[in-house]
Amino acid sequence: MKIVTQVSDLVSGCAFVPTMGALHSGHQSLFTLAAKKSESVMASIFVNPLQFENPDDLARYPRTPEQDAELAEEAGVTHLWLPLYEDIYPPGFKKLSAGPLGDIYEGASRPGHFDGVVTVVSRLFELVRPQFAIFGEKDFQQLSLIKKIKSDVEIVSAPTVRESDGLALSSRNTRLDAQSRLQATVISRALHAALAADNLASARSVMREVIESESSFTLDYAEIIDEDDFTEATESTLRPRVIISGWLNGVRLIDNMAMRSRAQI
Ligand code: PAF
């Protein structure tokens, strides 16, 4: 694996996996998917200050450079790019707006977050010029916004990787203490409860019951949306998706699952 530090050494036409480091098996699955798309697999590690609305969150974001390099190499990354802030944000760079979808759900709780995400991803695409870019479904709203970025890059989505008890893998999970780690399954339990319900009204109600049973979880939102436009799903929605977010002991967790559409039955 080649460590790339110069923009001139980037490999265009590759399969690209942008990350913020603290790599785990979820990222590994993105690298594996990238390796199926191209012989050149480029990963970047850049903790993007523009997408952190809270300076403490940015300061506490886990940074594990040595383990990251090992995991990337083992997972088939051929080029690991460690951009400098100035590579991504030269003087006078233009911050992009994520538009109205950037202001709801995650965006409502994290003002400016998605503007930062679309800005960095557009800039990374401009510099790398990959053929494919792989993103996880776990950050579903992020994935939807990235698909709206105007570029020639083919966006490939990858399924969420979970621990055996259902918790979606996330770099933030390392900040959960032992008790919060056990309580964190409340999200996947609520998602599964919604998926098992007979109709959307009971899905919404069982999901809330599960969430309320875990008093340490502070709910931000739990909703069933039409994944095409993030409006509230109805029984005739073709692609309903349950999205949940909240905090456990100060750690923000998010997750989602696609529901079977009753409109297609
Ligand atoms: O999902 C992430 O890790 C980040 O939001 C991304 C896409 C690498 C942009 O900084």
Side-chain angles (χ1 to χ4, degrees), residues 45-102:
I45 297 181
F46 179 66
V47 183
N48 174 32
L50 246 60
Q51 70 188 75
F52 287 84
E53 69 292 354
N54 173 345
D56 285 349
D57 199 24
L58 173 60
R60 283 194 313 226
Y61 199 83
R63 288 159 173 90
T64 54
E66 284 90 21
Q67 290 103 298
D68 287 353
E70 266 173 44
L71 185 146
E73 180 150 37
E74 276 166 26
V77 171
T78 57
H79 295 77
L80 180 62
W81 180 31
L82 308 170
L84 297 175
Y85 181 89
E86 309 78 77
D87 294 331
I88 307 294
Y89 299 128
F93 79 91
K94 196 166 159 275
K95 190 169 170 181
L96 303 181
S97 161
L101 178 55

Side-chain angles (χ1 to χ4, degrees), residues 194-200 203 235-238 240 259-265:
L195 262 60
D198 288 335
N199 56 56
L200 291 185
E235 293 296 346
S236 57
T237 298
L238 289 180
M259 283 181 97
R260 220 155 59 97
S261 169
R262 271 152 264 274
Q264 287 173 332
I265 296 171

Side-chain angles (χ1 to χ4, degrees), residues 144-163:
S144 304
L145 282 161
I146 289 170
K147 284 183 178 165
K148 288 180 190 292
I149 294 176
K150 284 196 181 62
S151 81
D152 296 332
V153 180
E154 187 179 318
I155 306 300
V156 179
S157 61
T160 302
V161 179
R162 298 177 181 282
E163 302 279 8

Side-chain angles (χ1 to χ4, degrees), residues 44-231:
S44 62
I45 297 181
F46 179 66
V47 183
N48 174 32
L50 246 60
Q51 70 188 75
F52 287 84
E53 69 292 354
N54 173 345
D56 285 349
D57 199 24
L58 173 60
R60 283 194 313 226
Y61 199 83
R63 288 159 173 90
T64 54
E66 284 90 21
Q67 290 103 298
D68 287 353
E70 266 173 44
L71 185 146
E73 180 150 37
E74 276 166 26
V77 171
T78 57
H79 295 77
L80 180 62
W81 180 31
L82 308 170
L84 297 175
Y85 181 89
E86 309 78 77
D87 294 331
I88 307 294
Y89 299 128
F93 79 91
K94 196 166 159 275
K95 190 169 170 181
L96 303 181
S97 161
L101 178 55
D103 293 333
I104 57 176
Y105 296 115
E106 278 306 286
S109 298
R110 307 185 60 190
H113 166 68
F114 286 124
D115 295 341
V117 170
V118 295
T119 303
V120 77
V121 171
S122 305
R123 187 70 188 130
L124 291 165
F125 284 0
E126 235 170 71
L127 292 167
V128 176
R129 292 183 292 121
Q131 185 176 358
F132 306 98
I134 329 297
F135 295 89
E137 262 185 22
K138 179 181 161 284
D139 295 302
F140 192 75
Q141 195 175 354
Q142 164 173 287
L143 173 65
S144 304
L145 282 161
I146 289 170
K147 284 183 178 165
K148 288 180 190 292
I149 294 176
K150 284 196 181 62
S151 81
D152 296 332
V153 180
E154 187 179 318
I155 306 300
V156 179
S157 61
T160 302
V161 179
R162 298 177 181 282
E163 302 279 8
S164 55
D165 64 2
L167 179 68
L169 295 194
S170 162
S171 305
R172 290 174 196 271
N173 293 353
T174 55
R175 284 172 43 204
L176 293 168
D177 60 31
Q179 200 188 2
S180 309
R181 169 62 191 83
L182 292 174
Q183 293 161 338
T185 59
V186 64
I187 302 185
S188 58
R189 285 186 277 122
L191 291 169
H192 281 297
L195 262 60
D198 288 335
N199 56 56
L200 291 185
S202 58
R204 289 187 168 102
S205 126
V206 288
M207 165 165 84
R208 278 180 191 277
E209 268 169 39
V210 175
I211 289 166
E212 279 160 20
S213 72
E214 187 53 81
S215 57
S216 359
F217 183 64
T218 307
L219 180 67
D220 185 1
Y221 55 79
E223 194 41 85
I224 304 173
I225 54 150
D226 178 337
E227 68 170 53
D228 293 330
D229 59 8
F230 281 72
T231 56

